[in-house]
Amino acid sequence: MSYLFSPKPLVLALTTVFYTLPGLVLAASPLSMGEGNVCTAPHRPKNFVKPVKSSGETNPGNDVTRVVADDVNGQSQVQVHAKGNVIIERNDVTLNSDWADYDQQNQIVKAGDHFTLDNGQGRVTGEHVTYDMAKNTGIGDAGRFEMEKDNRRLQGVGDEIQMGGKNRYRLQSAKFNTCNPGDDSWYIRSGSIDLDYDKNVGVARNATLVFGGVPLLYTPWIDFPLNGSRKSGFLAPTLKGGSDGFELTAPYYLNLAPNYDATIRPHFISSRGIQLGGDFRYLQPNYQGQLSADWVPNDQKSSHKNRAEIDFTHSQRLAKGLTGGIDYHQVSDDDYRRDFWNGDNGSSNLNRQAWLNYQRDLWGGTFDGSLMVQKYQTLASTSGYKDQPYSRLPRLSATWNRYFGNHYTVNIYAEATRFEGREIGHKNSMYKYPNGTRLVLLPAFTADYSNNWGYIRPKLSFHATHYDINRQDNQDSRSMNRAVPLLSVDSGMTFERLWKNNQLHKGYIQTLEPRLFYTYIPRRNQNDMPLFDTAENSFTYDQLFHENRYSGQDRINAANFMTTALQSRIYDSSNGIERFAAGIGQRFYFRDDNVKLNDNTPKNKERKRSDMVAFGRAALSKHITAETNWHYNQDLKTSESYNFGIRYTPNPGKTVSVRYKYGRYENLYDDVYGKMRTIDVGVQWPITRNYYLVARQDYDFNSSTSLNQTVGIEYQSPCHCWSAGLVGSRYTNDYKKHKTAVLFQLQLRDLAGMGNGTLNQLSSQIPGYSNTYEVKH
């Protein structure tokens, strides 16, 4: 039997009851939310929320209630009683029950003995429900519920659900999680949960996180956003054990405003004491930045006391075309970053810089100007060695660039820099370099004649430099000038041929690309000139096509050489993806280069040709990639350096990578040079359906030292509702000095993870690593 009732028929709204929860805290309970391994079971778990049944009839219209049952009787506009397979439909709401009483005059529905209610976003089931449609209030003994929105799921059990008005709910004695139907491997139990969708906030009281039947965390009160937006409160704690003992961090997040927030990070280290830290972020239409600071008032493991670190970055748009910024980093002592290092010691020179940049169109071209001041804090190694760069106090630079037609470009670069304060050596024998000012003017003219089969690009530039050097020790102040023209011509051709594979129904395009690069730079005596910001570049394939083998502005090599190179690539003709590329190149010298970095640099042996350099990379198959680089010294008939790497990644969660590196004469540490031979192996591989092995070994054969050892196990639940990782690491934080750490992370679906970010560290250590939580079976 089917009846339609209007006006003001049934409306029972249980919109999406919170679908995100950044807070985690609860206690054990014997109540089960499901049965067995429901992810692989072919049937729905018993006693869970049943799918709602519809009448199958057409929509009766807005605010019209349809009642369908085996038996319906009563008086229209007054009271209706339905029993037997009751289906009540109104707008997006569908109610199934054994019986129902609908009081149209008071707009109240009562239903039982078993009911299931679906509002289009979630379902709730229980024994009885009463709902006042006029006041949007009601109460139901919601034995079980499930809600889903934006691919986020919430399910659980509760004694009672109270509806206190539109978009406001309270659940009593509830246990819930974000797993698949019937999965109760973990859940949150709370005495009560209040949900206010108008204010977008949920509050749980006496909340406990239960994992595997064991209570892990408890809090008397937590609040959380209902739509996943930011909300003040405690973040997931981090746990660690290792060289510094047990460590615990319990950060608290402050959502101060939509455009700025802060995090307070109290950090307990058993061997050192308390470290207090915090972060402050801000974002405005014209500026943004971040301030981070850490402070250890009394380090019990170090002779350094009152230790601290501060990092500050800021960028701002000051006016049209004018921007500026600050980048500032400071630590209290040389050992701070080594002692509080988590695997990446970073640079030993901490940047402290402020700048202004200005850009505009000028004279048919583009103009870029910059004013910068820069100074470093240089950290000494454990042996006391430091190499402090010059400070730039200040540097003023400008570039003007303009295109003329389709072939010609004019570029003019100018710079004025004051250099101060470079030191190098050990604490008791620091050598100070002279201070001075440098002016640079570098105009350049480039032509580009190219088509689809080749190109030729001549370039003519002129490098003018002036130095004013301060008096130092026994040397008087002095000035010097250098003017050098530079001529280069870059040219190349591209030949193609098509390969067809009839069996695979694929085609490949192979290219053959010869290239010639000629450079002429006359000799200039530069041995007495300072070295403010200059070093010799590594000799690589790309460096073959640079005019100057030095970086910076203080040295310009003499040149009369021709670079010859040959490169070949193979592309998939159907999609343009590169499958293979390799190249080899060498320089031929028509005149010797007599420019050295300084007097300590050995004189270059006269050579008719340079070392050879080559590279190669290939996608050997859909899952296997490889790459290599090689530097060969023809005079010594030996390899200067080479490396080879290969990686096999058939599926997410499965990867093996191997990389070998060799260097005949490399900077090993501080100012010590020697031979380097290392092998770096990384693995992530499933050992069963749900367990994954992760491992890394970075080993130096010459020093017989493991630079990094990592081994661990990761687990993903069958229902993809949680994952966990336990990883042990041993890594170097200085030459032949090591630190150890045992890391743990637990990640719950759609909730904050607990641990110290082991997944993020593994992704940077193991090429091709995948978060096991995201791996699909």
Side-chain angles (χ1 to χ4, degrees):
M1 302 177 67
S2 176
Y3 290 85
L4 300 181
F5 299 93
S6 184
K8 298 185 179 178
L10 175 65
V11 177
L12 179 59
L14 277 180
T15 58
T16 306
V17 185
F18 54 26
Y19 49 90
T20 64
L21 274 178
L24 312 171
V25 232
L26 310 148
S29 169
L31 180 60
S32 174
M33 293 167 53
E35 295 184 356
N37 185 358
V38 298
C39 299
T40 56
H43 58 276
R44 176 178 289 273
K46 297 178 181 179
N47 300 324
F48 206 72
V49 181
K50 299 178 181 179
V52 71
K53 297 179 181 179
S54 67
S55 66
E57 300 181 18
T58 59
N59 188 341
N62 293 332
D63 301 327
V64 177
T65 300
R66 172 188 286 126
V67 178
V68 180
D70 294 340
D71 182 23
V72 179
N73 57 68
Q75 184 177 357
S76 178
Q77 305 297 329
V78 180
Q79 182 78 31
V80 174
H81 178 75
K83 63 179 180 179
N85 298 314
V86 177
I87 300 174
I88 300 179
E89 296 174 327
R90 173 187 170 89
N91 299 333
D92 294 331
V93 176
T94 302
L95 174 67
N96 295 169
S97 62
D98 296 333
W99 60 265
D101 288 328
Y102 177 29
D103 183 348
Q104 286 202 62
Q105 185 173 1
N106 295 311
Q107 303 180 38
I108 294 176
V109 173
K110 295 181 180 180
D113 291 318
H114 300 92
F115 79 91
T116 300
L117 187 143
D118 190 317
N119 71 337
Q121 294 179 327
R123 290 188 295 270
V124 60
T125 186
E127 294 184 359
H128 299 89
V129 63
T130 300
Y131 186 78
D132 187 327
M133 295 181 295
K135 298 179 181 179
N136 291 317
T137 60
I139 187 170
D141 53 355
R144 299 179 182 273
F145 62 89
E146 61 180 17
M147 309 292 170
E148 189 165 352
K149 186 177 181 181
D150 297 336
N151 295 320
R152 292 177 178 265
R153 176 182 174 81
L154 180 73
Q155 65 176 8
V157 296
D159 291 345
E160 182 179 271
I161 180 169
Q162 301 173 7
M163 291 152 279
K166 187 176 181 180
N167 294 331
R168 295 177 60 195
Y169 310 96
R170 167 173 283 190
L171 284 80
Q172 299 285 0
S173 300
K175 297 195 303 183
F176 57 91
N177 67 18
T178 56
C179 300
N180 290 326
D183 183 358
D184 60 352
S185 53
W186 67 267
Y187 56 86
I188 293 178
R189 180 182 180 179
S190 62
S192 66
I193 304 173
D194 292 293
L195 309 171
D196 191 329
Y197 282 90
D198 291 333
K199 296 181 178 180
N200 184 38
V201 64
V203 177
R205 293 174 174 82
N206 294 323
T208 306
L209 171 64
V210 181
F211 183 81
V214 178
L216 296 183
L217 294 172
Y218 169 82
T219 182
W221 179 89
I222 56 172
D223 63 357
F224 46 87
L226 297 178
N227 64 354
S229 61
R230 301 181 308 173
K231 183 73 174 64
S232 296
F234 282 102
L235 302 178
T238 66
L239 307 172
K240 179 181 177 182
S243 300
D244 289 333
F246 173 75
E247 299 184 39
L248 171 65
T249 305
Y252 187 86
Y253 176 76
L254 295 167
N255 184 31
L256 304 175
N259 59 334
Y260 58 92
D261 58 15
T263 303
I264 302 172
R265 294 183 278 102
H267 182 192
F268 172 74
I269 308 173
S270 61
S271 65
R272 296 186 181 274
I274 297 295
Q275 181 188 53
L276 301 176
D279 307 288
F280 176 72
R281 302 184 302 175
Y282 55 92
L283 175 64
Q284 291 285 359
N286 290 326
Y287 64 87
Q288 62 182 354
Q290 178 171 340
L291 173 66
S292 300
D294 291 279
W295 176 48
V296 184
N298 184 20
D299 191 338
Q300 303 169 8
K301 193 178 178 179
S302 173
S303 60
H304 303 290
K305 304 301 178 184
N306 200 28
R307 313 182 71 185
E309 177 178 15
I310 185 170
D311 300 284
F312 176 58
T313 58
H314 174 88
S315 60
Q316 185 165 353
R317 182 178 180 269
L318 301 171
K320 182 179 180 180
L322 180 63
T323 59
I326 298 173
D327 186 22
Y328 184 89
H329 307 275
Q330 179 82 24
V331 294
S332 57
D333 55 81
D334 292 331
D335 298 321
Y336 187 94
R337 288 203 165 184
R338 281 188 291 270
D339 290 344
F340 298 97
W341 181 39
N342 288 320
D344 182 10
N345 205 13
S347 173
S348 61
N349 294 305
L350 306 185
N351 187 34
R352 292 178 289 185
Q353 176 182 353
W355 71 90
L356 289 173
N357 293 330
Y358 180 69
Q359 184 181 57
R360 60 164 296 182
D361 295 334
L362 181 66
W363 301 331
T366 58
F367 173 84
D368 291 278
S370 175
L371 174 64
M372 179 187 71
V373 291
Q374 183 180 40
K375 192 173 185 179
Y376 298 92
Q377 180 188 13
T378 299
L379 307 181
S381 68
T382 54
S383 65
Y385 176 86
K386 64 165 59 177
D387 186 356
Q388 182 181 30
Y390 274 105
S391 300
R392 296 175 172 90
L393 302 172
R395 185 193 72 178
L396 178 63
S397 62
T399 302
W400 181 76
N401 189 85
R402 181 177 176 180
Y403 294 95
F404 292 87
N406 297 324
H407 303 292
Y408 309 107
T409 304
V410 173
N411 182 281
I412 301 175
Y413 175 78
E415 174 195 311
T417 309
R418 174 66 182 178
F419 294 95
E420 292 186 1
R422 187 188 183 197
E423 296 181 340
I424 188 171
H426 288 77
K427 293 180 179 179
N428 298 326
S429 58
M430 296 297 294
Y431 180 79
K432 296 184 178 181
Y433 283 79
N435 300 333
T437 301
R438 185 185 67 197
L439 305 178
V440 174
L441 180 63
L442 178 58
F445 174 80
T446 305
D448 185 352
Y449 305 101
S450 59
N451 53 36
N452 57 1
W453 55 264
Y455 64 89
I456 181 169
R457 301 185 182 111
K459 177 183 177 182
L460 177 63
S461 56
F462 186 82
H463 198 295
T465 317
H466 172 78
Y467 292 91
D468 285 319
I469 310 300
N470 291 9
R471 176 185 176 88
Q472 183 189 26
D473 298 332
N474 297 325
Q475 292 185 346
D476 294 331
S477 60
R478 62 193 190 277
S479 297
M480 57 191 72
N481 298 298
R482 179 189 60 197
V484 186
L486 297 85
L487 172 66
S488 65
V489 181
D490 190 8
S491 61
M493 300 180 69
T494 300
F495 301 94
E496 294 183 353
R497 69 169 179 172
L498 179 65
W499 288 359
K500 288 187 177 180
N501 189 321
N502 295 327
Q503 294 180 344
L504 297 177
H505 303 286
K506 284 188 174 182
Y508 297 94
I509 297 174
Q510 181 188 15
T511 69
L512 191 64
E513 304 171 40
R515 184 175 179 181
L516 296 176
F517 181 78
Y518 174 76
T519 299
Y520 176 80
I521 304 174
R523 295 181 177 180
R524 294 294 186 270
N525 186 0
Q526 305 168 51
N527 295 339
D528 293 334
M529 291 185 175
L531 291 172
F532 288 139
D533 60 1
T534 295
E536 187 169 1
N537 294 318
S538 300
F539 192 65
T540 63
Y541 184 83
D542 290 336
Q543 181 62 30
L544 287 174
F545 309 101
H546 288 196
E547 300 165 328
N548 191 14
R549 62 189 176 97
Y550 298 106
S551 63
Q553 308 288 349
D554 300 313
R555 292 291 183 272
I556 302 174
N557 57 230
N560 189 1
F561 62 77
M562 175 73 77
T563 294
T564 60
L566 183 64
Q567 179 174 286
S568 180
R569 289 181 279 189
I570 297 177
Y571 295 94
D572 190 325
S573 61
S574 62
N575 52 29
I577 295 177
E578 181 186 275
R579 299 297 184 184
F580 172 83
I584 187 170
Q586 187 178 31
R587 281 179 178 171
F588 291 89
Y589 299 109
F590 305 119
R591 188 179 62 188
D592 185 36
D593 177 14
N594 66 345
V595 177
K596 301 186 298 181
L597 271 178
N598 50 50
D599 293 336
N600 297 325
T601 305
K603 184 178 179 180
N604 294 329
K605 179 181 177 181
E606 291 192 14
R607 305 178 66 182
K608 296 299 183 182
R609 57 188 178 184
S610 72
D611 297 344
M612 295 181 64
V613 285
F615 78 93
R617 58 178 179 266
L620 302 177
S621 71
K622 184 178 180 180
H623 308 301
I624 302 176
T625 59
E627 60 177 339
T628 184
N629 292 278
W630 179 49
H631 176 184
Y632 181 74
N633 189 319
Q634 284 192 301
D635 288 350
L636 299 178
K637 300 189 183 305
T638 186
S639 294
E640 288 287 338
S641 66
Y642 57 83
N643 62 70
F644 174 78
I646 188 169
R647 189 174 85 188
Y648 174 56
T649 308
N651 292 300
K654 293 183 177 180
T655 185
V656 179
S657 63
V658 180
R659 176 171 289 278
Y660 179 81
K661 296 181 181 180
Y662 168 82
R664 187 179 70 87
Y665 192 70
E666 301 288 335
N667 188 353
L668 303 178
Y669 67 100
D670 289 352
D671 56 347
V672 177
Y673 290 79
K675 184 179 292 187
M676 179 190 70
R677 292 186 302 133
T678 64
I679 187 169
D680 193 346
V681 182
V683 177
Q684 181 190 28
W685 203 264
I687 51 180
T688 67
R689 179 179 176 86
N690 301 107
Y691 286 91
Y692 291 80
L693 171 70
V694 290
R696 182 194 179 191
Q697 172 69 283
D698 187 4
Y699 187 80
D700 184 351
F701 291 101
N702 276 60
S703 60
S704 300
T705 300
S706 288
L707 304 178
N708 187 305
Q709 287 178 308
T710 298
V711 63
I713 196 79
E714 293 183 304
Y715 175 80
Q716 181 193 82
S717 70
C719 297
H720 287 243
C721 193
W722 64 275
S723 65
L726 181 64
V727 179
S729 295
R730 181 176 182 267
Y731 45 86
T732 59
N733 68 334
D734 208 339
Y735 183 66
K736 292 190 177 181
K737 295 183 182 294
H738 296 83
K739 293 187 73 174
T740 59
V742 177
L743 315 172
F744 172 75
Q745 184 173 15
L746 174 65
Q747 186 168 352
L748 309 178
R749 184 166 84 179
D750 292 338
L751 293 180
M754 296 188 306
N756 55 335
T758 61
L759 299 179
N760 294 333
Q761 295 189 28
L762 290 173
S763 63
S764 63
Q765 293 182 13
I766 301 175
Y769 173 86
S770 298
N771 188 336
T772 55
Y773 176 73
E774 300 173 350
V775 175
K776 304 299 182 182
H777 294 303

